[in-house]
Structures are given as C-alpha cells and as structure tokens.
C-alpha cells in the first residue's frame, strides 16, 4: 500500500481520485485544495506521503510552484501531475516531477500511471534505475 | 478559465461513470444507459472545443500575427484532441514539422488545427484504431501542413462544407466548424482545403500558411 496526497482545487476530482486510489489499494493520507495548502500540509506531516497527485492551475499557488517547495523539503517524494494545462508538461518534468497525465484521462490510465511511477520508484530504491 | 472549469467537471463526471460502469451490481439496461451517458459526455467535450475556438475568434479582432513554430501549435492541438477522444484509440504521427520555418499566425492557429483534427477523428469508425498523420513542408514563401487520415474518410457533411464555394454558417455543425476554421485561418492569410488522395480511402486536409516575414 502506498500513501498518497491529492492536491486538486476541484472537490469532485478530489473525491474521484480518492475513490480510485482507495480501490487500487492505496491510502490517501491528505487532500489539499491549492499549492500553498499542500506545502503547509506536507511540511506538517511527520510521515510524508510517498506519492503526490498534483493539479497545476489552482488558486493561491500553482502546482509547479508547490512542487518546487515540496521537493526542497523532501526530494524523494514522487509527484505525478494531472492537469489540462499541457504548457506546463516540460516545466513539471524538468522541475522534478516523475510524470504527467493530460486531462481528460480514464481512471484505468490513472491507475496505470501510478503503477508505473511506483515501479520506477522501487527500481530507484533498489539502485536499478 | 471557463473551459478549464468545464473540462474539470467533465473529467469528474467521466471518471465517476467509469467506476459505475465497472460495478457488478448493474444490470445490462443500466450498463447501456451508463455507456450512452459516457458517449453523450464525449460529444459535449467536442462541443467544448468548438466553444473554445469561438471564444478565440471573439478575441481575434485584437490579435496581431506573430512568428509561430508549427511543431508547438501541432503538439498543443494533438493533446487537445487526444484528450477529448480519450476513449478512442488515436495515434497521430508527425513529420517534417521541426524543419519548417516559423509561420505568420498567432495562438489561434492551435484552435483551427484542433477543429480540423476533430473533423478527421469524427470520421473514424468507433470500433477501429484511428491513425492520423501530420506533415509539414515549405513551398516558397508558404508552409503547407497536411493532415491525413488513414483507412477512413471525412464525414461527407464536412467534405461538402469544405468544398462549398460559399460558407454556410450554422446550417450544420460541420458547416459551422468549417466556417469557423476559415475565419480563424483567414485572419493571417492562411487557408484550408481538401486535397485528393488518389487510390486511398483516407482524407487529406491542407493548411496553407505564409512564412513569417514573407510579403
């Protein structure tokens, strides 16, 4: 089981991703409605989530800005962007995100992307990638 | 912003329906109704792209032509179409785009390209993979972008609208899409036309654009 944090300003999508991640056997440990709240929550958590599902276009602080702040706190966390804003694909990957999925996508594609990210993470931990 | 919010709600609705579709508690009739709802949401997503293009057209009066790199405009249009038709198996290959010079256009070129790709994809049979190709080339002070479908043709209503000598706005959705594309492209001296593909079942649309800096 992987611990997941969801950063998304749209509550319907927060609920959807929470349901999908739970059905896939992961544990959603936090939800944040914007980048600033995500950074604050991440800083306050004694046990950091292993994976963050991150939107980009959000009020207060964008997903890319939040990613930079979070990776300063813990460079090992995997951040997967889920966004309709294709223009930030390059910035998110160069900034340290492990992947990017463009909205809209199927839930099957989301689970598949999470599985691939976690497999890559396991390989890195084992020194294979 | 409006289209972004709409896209988010469509994503949520489609996601929840996908979960519902997998429920073993649904009877066949309920599964059919869920499938129809998914289909209807897909259509609304396509209409949303058209609304986005119309909003872009409204901004066109103040838009100034600028140098645009074709590969970026094509990539953005590709992503928009792949996103909307995400329940289809679409493969879009590109060739020669990076080598073409910048063209005189603006951000609205992406909207026009998106509309043309949607027209091609809508001609694809639902039960088959959809292969499209986009090829860029330079001819003198013009850049030609060829959008082709492989193994299936454009909807005849789109073909009729493209070959009509006069635009027929509002008569059909196809006609209004074609009319919209012509207006978006015409703003900076570009045009779209249908090109014959002898011996092929597919269709080919050609966008003819001026090279940036050409008279």
């Amino acid at each position: 089981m992987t611990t997941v944090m969801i950063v998304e300003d749209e509550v319907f999508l927060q609920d959807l991703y929470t349901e999908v991640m739970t059905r896939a056997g992961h544990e959603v440990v936090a939800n944040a409605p914007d980048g600033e709240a995500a950074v604050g929550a991440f800083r306050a958590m004694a046990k950091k989530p292993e994976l963050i599902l991150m939107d980009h276009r959000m009020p207060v602080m964008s997903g890319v800005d939040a990613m930079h702040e979070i990776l300063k706190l813990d460079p090992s966390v995997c951040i997967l962007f889920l966004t309709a804003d294709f223009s930030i694909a390059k910035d998110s990957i160069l900034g340290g995100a492990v992947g990017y999925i463009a909205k809209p996508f199927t839930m099957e594609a989301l689970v598949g992307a999470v599985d691939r990210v976690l497999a890559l993470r396991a390989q890195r931990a084992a020194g294979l990638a | 912003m409006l289209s972004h919010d709409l896209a988010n709600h469509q994503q949520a609705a489609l996601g929840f329906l996908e979960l519902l579709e997998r429920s073993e508690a649904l009877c066949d009739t309920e599964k059919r109704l869920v499938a129809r709802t998914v289909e209807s949401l897909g259509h609304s997503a396509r209409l949303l792209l058209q609304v986005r293009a119309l909003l872009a057209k409204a901004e066109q009066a103040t838009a100034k032509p600028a140098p645009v790199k074709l590969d970026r405009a094509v990539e953005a249009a590709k992503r928009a179409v792949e996103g909307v038709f995400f329940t289809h198996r679409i493969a879009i290959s590109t060739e020669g785009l990076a080598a073409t010079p910048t063209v005189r256009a603006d951000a609205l070129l992406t909207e026009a390209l998106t509309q043309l790709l949607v027209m091609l994809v809508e001609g694809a049979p639902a039960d088959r993979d959809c292969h499209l190709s986009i090829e860029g080339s330079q001819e003198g002070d013009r850049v030609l972008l060829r959008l082709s479908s492989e193994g299936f043709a454009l909807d005849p209503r789109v073909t009729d609208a493209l070959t009509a000598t006069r635009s027929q706005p509002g008569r059909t959705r196809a006609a209004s899409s074609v009319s919209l594309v012509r207006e978006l492209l015409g703003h900076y001296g570009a045009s779209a036309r249908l090109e014959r593909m002898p011996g092929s079942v597919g269709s080919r649309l050609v966008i003819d654009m001026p090279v940036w800096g050409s008279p």
Side-chain angles (χ1 to χ4, degrees), chain A residues 8-10 12-13 15-17 19-20 23 55 57 83-86 90 100-109 111, chain B residues 1 4-5 7-16 18-20 22-23 45 72 75-76 79-80 82-84 86-87:
Chain A
E8 168 64 62
D9 60 326
E10 176 52 64
F12 289 101
L13 289 177
D15 289 350
L16 175 65
Y17 300 156
E19 181 71 27
V20 171
R23 286 187 184 203
D55 186 20
R57 203 182 289 187
T83 174
D85 196 344
F86 174 69
K90 192 176 161 192
Y100 172 95
I101 317 182
K103 288 177 187 169
F105 47 81
T106 62
M107 295 308 103
E108 193 179 359
V111 172
Chain B
M1 192 63 203
H4 175 260
D5 288 348
N8 269 345
H9 282 285
Q10 274 177 337
Q11 170 74 78
L14 284 165
F16 284 122
E18 191 183 332
L19 298 183
L20 193 58
R22 287 191 203 152
S23 167
R72 287 194 186 171
E75 189 58 36
R79 298 296 302 202
E82 285 169 346
V84 164
F86 69 101
T87 52

Side-chain angles (χ1 to χ4, degrees), chain A residues 20-65:
Chain A
V20 171
M21 288 298 101
T22 305
R23 286 187 184 203
H26 305 305
E27 184 189 2
V28 176
V29 292
N31 265 295
D34 61 66
E36 191 174 272
V39 175
F42 189 85
R43 187 180 283 119
M45 293 167 89
K47 191 169 184 299
K48 310 295 186 200
E50 295 157 284
L51 172 69
I52 298 177
L53 300 182
M54 180 81 84
D55 186 20
H56 171 63
R57 203 182 289 187
M58 294 178 289
V60 191
M61 183 189 278
S62 75
V64 169
D65 288 343

Side-chain angles (χ1 to χ4, degrees), chain A residues 109-124:
Chain A
L110 172 59
V111 172
V114 167
D115 286 347
R116 285 192 295 279
V117 165
L118 296 177
L120 184 69
R121 184 173 181 272
Q123 282 180 353
R124 280 183 183 161

Side-chain angles (χ1 to χ4, degrees), chain B residues 40-87:
Chain B
S40 174
L41 270 168
H43 282 297
S44 72
R46 275 168 250 174
L47 288 173
L48 177 61
L49 282 183
Q50 201 166 358
V51 169
R52 206 176 74 173
L54 283 166
L55 290 172
K57 185 187 148 201
E59 292 168 6
Q60 204 171 42
T62 53
K64 286 186 179 168
V68 170
K69 286 182 74 71
L70 263 187
D71 49 355
R72 287 194 186 171
V74 167
E75 189 58 36
K78 248 181 81 175
R79 298 296 302 202
V81 173
E82 285 169 346
V84 164
F85 291 91
F86 69 101
T87 52

Side-chain angles (χ1 to χ4, degrees), chain A residues 61-80:
Chain A
M61 183 189 278
S62 75
V64 169
D65 288 343
M67 171 186 71
H68 290 306
E69 295 301 314
I70 287 171
L71 289 176
K72 278 183 208 164
L73 296 169
D74 181 357
S76 72
V77 65
C78 290
I79 300 178
L80 177 64

